[in-house]
Amino acid sequence: MVSKVRGPGAPLYAAAARKQMKRIHVGSRVRIADGTTLHAALRGPAERRPEPGQMLWAGRDASVTGYQRGADNRSLYALKDAPGLWPEEWLDPI
């Protein structure tokens, strides 16, 4: 059973989950994952693979211009001048 306790007595897993959340908002700047990370994603499920044009953006900085939730409830971001939608795990706030 999962406890819903909040505050000083909250379980450690709740604090760990908050640390994993990234603060990405429309208008913020992000750094796209490096080529190694994007190449590793090519071996994943088809719907989670980067598009060919996205591979060229590895390691670059960009501005977030849009946000939406994917069918699998993932956070997806549109980036200025970059092709396609970018999942949160490929982006780091800067």
Side-chain angles (χ1 to χ4, degrees), residues 32-70:
I32 298 169
D34 61 12
T36 305
T37 303
L38 295 183
H39 279 288
L42 287 172
R43 294 186 294 273
E47 65 276 358
R48 292 189 174 209
R49 293 182 191 152
E51 299 172 11
Q54 288 179 312
M55 298 299 293
L56 300 172
W57 281 75
R60 293 190 188 186
D61 296 348
S63 295
V64 177
T65 59
Y67 168 83
Q68 73 179 43
R69 283 278 186 193

